[in-house]
Amino acid sequence: MSTDRREGTTSEEHYRITPRRVSFDWDETPLHWIPDEPTATHVINVLHLLLPAGERWFVKVFKEALPLVDDPVLLKDVKGFMGQEATHSVQHAHVLDHLAHQRLDTEPYTRHVDFLFEKLLGETPPFGAPIPTQEWLRFRLSLIAAIEQFTAVLGNWVLHAEGLDRAESDAIMLDLLRWHGAEEVEHRAVAFDMYQHCGGSGLPRYARRVEGMAVVAPVLLWLWAWGASYLIRHDPQLAGRMRYSLREHNRAVHRGLLPTWKELGSAIPRYFRRSYHPSQEGSLRKAVDYLATSPAARAAAGAVGRAALG
């Protein structure tokens, strides 16, 4: 009886990663969905700017790597991961439509994100760089594994972020974020396992993993700061009266509306440990418990059940 990668369960008890075809009604969600907190609102809203293109890219890269997967358990995990990420991409894109309806046009920012994922990180190396096909795929898999380290940390944070409840945040947006966060904790190890499986062996595989995080961490920080600045600067309700500032950001952190810098930063040295595995991140039990109560996830499960009965 083999031991599973996740939290010491046996293979017969392997946790199944299942996409949930959720939907959300944004008609009543205000632009500042955390009342009187435009900085915290827009720092979190950067997720909606990055994830539609980013998670489509995850799926494309994993499709390229699928022929390399000869572990049937990992193959099931990867297909579940791809289904979840595709749904995440669609639902966050709907939020961009909602922002546009509220006169906050995100296209000038998101076209740069699209260029990053579709051109610079596409199926072939940019600018004709002479990188072998296998190495280019392994590098992109290492980037996804590093990004998923942060999404697992953020997912765990939002599941525990009582400050968002105390601030009377919009219930629909909270459900989106916590449904997504719970699924990130559910599949927190898949991208890492996929990289380990397809990324070669020994020191080169580890070195490339470190390289992936060394690229991802500063680029994500830059994209996030740029995105928050863009959203605040173009917020029609603020009308140019406010700019993104670390002072306001840190005030929101103190109120429990954003993760602490320590929570985010400490994810990096953990990831660099040779013995590290993402099953150490967050609580699968907490994620599963939330998904059992999430209005959107429950509605999706009900729709599946009704379709099966029909």
Side-chain angles (χ1 to χ4, degrees), residues 6-199:
R6 286 178 182 76
E7 300 181 347
T9 63
T10 60
S11 59
E12 284 82 357
E13 300 165 339
H14 186 82
Y15 184 81
R16 183 180 178 186
I17 298 169
T18 305
R20 298 167 182 86
R21 305 306 183 190
V22 299
S23 62
F24 301 89
D25 181 357
W26 299 110
D27 287 349
E28 303 301 322
T29 297
L31 182 58
H32 297 163
W33 55 268
I34 309 176
D36 303 316
E37 290 287 346
T39 294
T41 291
H42 287 316
V43 168
I44 296 176
N45 277 348
V46 176
L47 285 167
H48 311 309
L49 302 180
L50 299 177
L51 293 179
E55 294 188 306
R56 286 195 304 270
W57 176 72
F58 289 1
V59 174
K60 289 178 181 177
V61 175
F62 271 35
K63 281 183 179 177
E64 289 180 48
L66 277 180
L68 304 177
V69 179
D70 55 15
D71 177 343
V73 176
L74 178 60
L75 187 61
K76 288 182 180 178
D77 285 350
V78 168
K79 289 181 177 179
F81 172 94
M82 292 167 67
Q84 287 189 343
E85 296 290 16
T87 304
H88 298 168
S89 175
V90 169
Q91 295 307 322
H92 285 280
H94 289 328
V95 181
L96 294 184
D97 294 337
H98 176 62
L99 294 178
H101 291 153
Q102 294 177 310
R103 297 185 298 115
L104 179 47
D105 179 18
T106 60
E107 194 274 337
Y109 179 94
T110 57
R111 68 168 174 255
H112 295 288
V113 178
D114 292 342
F115 178 79
L116 169 65
F117 288 113
E118 294 174 9
K119 303 300 182 183
L120 294 184
L121 295 173
E123 190 169 349
T124 57
F127 314 118
I131 303 172
T133 299
Q134 183 185 60
E135 186 60 27
W136 181 239
L137 176 59
R138 287 174 171 176
F139 172 67
R140 288 179 295 148
L141 288 171
S142 78
L143 298 182
I144 296 173
I147 293 169
E148 285 288 298
Q149 169 77 347
F150 288 112
T151 59
V153 170
L154 290 172
N156 187 58
W157 172 79
V158 79
L159 288 171
H160 294 85
E162 296 178 359
L164 293 174
D165 300 285
R166 290 193 296 269
E168 300 183 350
S169 303
D170 178 75
I172 302 298
M173 187 65 79
L174 265 187
D175 190 32
L176 168 74
L177 295 172
R178 286 177 172 157
W179 154 75
H180 186 166
E183 291 199 343
E184 291 298 330
V185 173
E186 269 193 315
H187 68 228
R188 63 199 186 277
V190 176
F192 184 93
D193 290 340
M194 182 69 159
Y195 171 71
Q196 292 290 100
H197 188 81
C198 301

Side-chain angles (χ1 to χ4, degrees), residues 62 138-153 187-197 199 204-218 220 262-281:
F62 271 35
R138 287 174 171 176
F139 172 67
R140 288 179 295 148
L141 288 171
S142 78
L143 298 182
I144 296 173
I147 293 169
E148 285 288 298
Q149 169 77 347
F150 288 112
T151 59
V153 170
H187 68 228
R188 63 199 186 277
V190 176
F192 184 93
D193 290 340
M194 182 69 159
Y195 171 71
Q196 292 290 100
H197 188 81
R205 180 175 67 180
Y206 172 71
R208 196 184 301 103
R209 171 155 70 89
V210 170
E211 177 190 27
M213 178 59 79
V215 171
V216 162
L220 268 185
K262 182 179 179 180
E263 285 175 292
L264 297 172
S266 63
I268 300 172
R270 284 200 304 277
Y271 189 80
F272 285 159
R273 292 201 302 264
R274 289 289 294 267
S275 61
Y276 177 75
H277 190 264
S279 57
Q280 303 164 22
E281 297 293 341

